[in-house]
Amino acid sequence: MHPKSGYQVVTIFIRFLFGLSNLKMTDYPIKYRLIKKEKHTGARLGEIITPHGTFPTPMFMPVGTQATVKTQSPEELKEMGSGIILSNTYHLWLRPGDELIARAGGLHKFMNWDQPILTDSGGFQVYSLADSRNITEEGVTFKNHLNGSKMFLSPEKAISIQNNLGSDIMMSFDECPQFYQPYDYVKKSIERTTRWAERGLKAHSRPHDQGLFGIVQGAGFEDLRRQSAQNLVSMDFPGYSIGGLAVGETHDEMNAVLDFTTPLLPENKPRYLMGVGAPDSLIDGVIRGVDMFDCVLPTRIARNGTCMTSEGRLVVKNAKFEEDFTPLDYDCDCYTCKNYTRAYIRHLLKADETFGIRLTSYHNLYFLINLMKNVRQAIMDDNLLEFRQDFMERYGYGKNGRNF
């Protein structure tokens, strides 16, 4: 062995023994590379490097809650250009269980997906179980939504589950306070979230192959967002998420929070806006410097026959499409639009045929992934604001209000 190689092995071993405090940023398995900043906005064109590959940003991530993106195969997700998908810690913990997935070789192998995976921490699910939860310093006690049994989730447990899952990007366990909570409550909440983030860092057993992100909270309070961001940035996470948005606030309120929050995050690390998938919010988030987004919106509305098109929302189950033998969107070259008509898809949905949901889900996911592809090109061309204006006019924003 070359002497220098031996020295490197010893150095790595010492760093492991002494924990994360000695782990340099360059050692992190998740790295961000900035390619270009748009001239007129804060938009960033870049790429994120992970143990399971590199994907371009800005990027929309399809949500695979139960280790599957509803009705879509891994091959179809790759075909439509999905560079990364999201899976849900809480749901996979309940079934089939994170330890079973670990025995299967990790989530990538279990679900036959060889590209990057991001897992959330379970914090948002705790937020959604407000009627049955009890938050303490130690963690959160709540009822299992499947059988009503008592459950307890702590920062350490959330990290342990994600270590078992083996995702490329993990989320810190946080509390997601409601946007309109009183100031004093939100202040206590972000301070607790900071302490939970510290505990999660200490519990993280796989820092060499899984990147752990911090989550900035603070509702709509600028000083609390600043405090949360400063606390988390001081811990030197390999990436940062902006949480507590898309939870009932207005579109303008979301943009205002992003205006003063995103600049607080490091330029050399990924920025992830959690739970956002409406087309206008994606574009406006990119304009404000966000790199990653996720949302169940495209597949959820697809199950009701609602489709995103270049001309706005289209509800294909409506009677007027019964004899419409045109594609969902003339400007779309996805598998659905190249092969099937509105009339046929309407028939499938009315007949409760699963293939209809597969077709609308494929189209909606493709639409958002392709939207981000076009946004990346607009950043490269320094015309993102013009792109936004053209898209908004065609999509119908500003005429009949928001479509989603």
Side-chain angles (χ1 to χ4, degrees):
M1 178 184 291
H2 190 282
K4 189 174 182 181
S5 298
Y7 172 80
Q8 289 172 337
V9 169
V10 172
T11 300
I12 292 170
F13 180 67
I14 291 173
R15 284 179 180 170
F16 177 78
L17 288 179
F18 279 88
L20 287 170
S21 61
N22 290 330
L23 192 66
K24 304 297 184 183
M25 185 272 290
T26 52
D27 296 324
Y28 283 133
I30 305 300
K31 297 181 178 66
Y32 174 76
R33 187 174 80 89
L34 177 66
I35 296 173
K36 185 183 190 302
K37 288 192 73 172
E38 210 259 357
K39 279 185 179 180
H40 312 291
T41 69
R44 316 187 323 161
L45 179 67
E47 62 181 16
I48 295 176
I49 303 157
T50 83
H52 285 87
T54 299
F55 61 91
T57 60
M59 173 64 72
F60 174 79
M61 299 182 286
V63 176
T65 301
Q66 307 273 11
T68 179
V69 178
K70 290 190 185 301
T71 75
Q72 305 298 297
S73 71
E75 292 75 21
E76 287 168 327
L77 293 169
K78 291 177 183 179
E79 181 182 81
M80 67 180 71
S82 175
I84 178 173
I85 62 172
L86 179 147
S87 282
N88 186 269
T89 295
Y90 167 78
H91 289 282
L92 294 177
W93 174 37
L94 297 190
R95 59 181 180 190
D98 56 295
E99 293 180 357
L100 182 149
I101 291 175
R103 291 194 295 273
L107 188 55
H108 292 87
K109 188 173 182 180
F110 186 60
M111 65 181 294
N112 190 34
W113 176 257
D114 59 4
Q115 295 186 24
I117 297 175
L118 181 150
T119 48
D120 59 12
S121 68
F124 185 77
Q125 280 64 45
V126 170
Y127 161 85
S128 66
L129 296 169
D131 293 338
S132 64
R133 72 184 184 192
N134 179 38
I135 303 173
T136 67
E137 185 65 27
E138 288 305 306
V140 184
T141 304
F142 56 94
K143 290 182 179 180
N144 181 328
H145 78 283
L146 297 176
N147 59 23
S149 64
K150 187 176 181 179
M151 307 287 291
F152 178 73
L153 190 58
S154 67
E156 292 82 5
K157 183 61 177 177
I159 296 301
S160 173
I161 295 167
Q162 293 180 85
N163 284 155
N164 278 336
L165 296 177
S167 51
D168 300 271
I169 300 175
M170 304 162 49
M171 292 295 118
S172 298
F173 188 60
D174 65 322
E175 182 192 356
C176 179
Q178 294 181 2
F179 192 81
Y180 299 113
Q181 285 278 17
Y183 181 91
D184 289 345
Y185 181 92
V186 177
K187 180 174 175 58
K188 292 178 182 177
S189 174
I190 65 159
E191 290 169 350
R192 180 169 51 232
T193 286
T194 296
R195 294 190 294 272
W196 285 358
E198 291 178 318
R199 287 166 56 185
L201 272 174
K202 292 177 181 177
H204 187 12
S205 65
R206 298 177 58 179
H208 56 289
D209 63 0
Q210 289 181 279
L212 177 61
F213 282 22
I215 303 177
V216 176
Q217 293 286 357
F221 302 107
E222 182 172 358
D223 62 326
L224 296 185
R225 288 280 178 178
R226 181 176 299 278
Q227 178 183 339
S228 178
Q230 289 175 345
N231 291 340
L232 295 171
V233 169
S234 71
M235 298 182 205
D236 195 27
F237 287 94
Y240 293 90
S241 305
I242 301 171
L245 294 176
V247 290
E249 79 283 359
T250 68
H251 184 70
D252 288 342
E253 286 172 327
M254 178 190 293
N255 284 344
V257 171
L258 293 176
D259 282 334
F260 58 66
T261 301
T262 310
L264 303 173
L265 304 179
E267 287 263 344
N268 63 338
K269 296 182 180 180
R271 302 163 175 172
Y272 163 33
L273 177 57
M274 306 178 77
V276 169
D280 60 335
S281 294
L282 295 179
I283 297 172
D284 285 349
V286 170
I287 286 172
R288 289 159 176 81
V290 176
D291 307 305
M292 303 163 62
F293 307 82
D294 82 281
C295 193
V296 298
L297 177 70
T299 51
R300 176 173 289 171
I301 64 174
R303 295 194 289 275
N304 296 318
T306 302
C307 303
M308 303 175 182
T309 79
S310 59
E311 301 296 329
R313 184 177 71 167
L314 183 151
V315 184
V316 73
K317 286 178 73 173
N318 287 350
K320 65 180 179 180
F321 299 119
E322 183 177 7
E323 296 189 30
D324 189 335
F325 305 116
T326 63
L328 291 174
D329 187 351
Y330 275 113
D331 287 343
C332 181
D333 62 354
C334 79
Y335 170 80
T336 299
C337 290
K338 287 192 296 187
N339 293 284
Y340 301 100
T341 67
R342 297 175 179 182
Y344 178 65
I345 296 170
R346 178 182 183 274
H347 155 68
L348 294 176
L349 294 172
K350 297 294 285 186
D352 292 325
E353 288 290 344
T354 306
F355 189 48
I357 299 175
R358 286 196 53 186
L359 292 176
T360 53
S361 295
Y362 187 106
H363 169 78
N364 281 349
L365 289 167
Y366 182 94
F367 181 87
L368 292 185
I369 291 169
N370 193 60
L371 173 62
M372 290 293 95
K373 179 181 177 181
N374 292 333
V375 164
R376 293 195 295 270
Q377 185 61 53
I379 296 172
M380 181 63 74
D381 297 338
D382 288 314
N383 67 350
L384 183 55
L385 294 178
E386 292 87 345
F387 174 88
R388 178 189 186 278
Q389 181 176 352
D390 179 67
F391 177 86
M392 296 296 197
E393 289 176 355
R394 292 189 65 192
Y395 203 83
Y397 288 121
K399 297 176 182 178
N400 302 310
R402 296 190 67 188
N403 284 307
F404 297 101

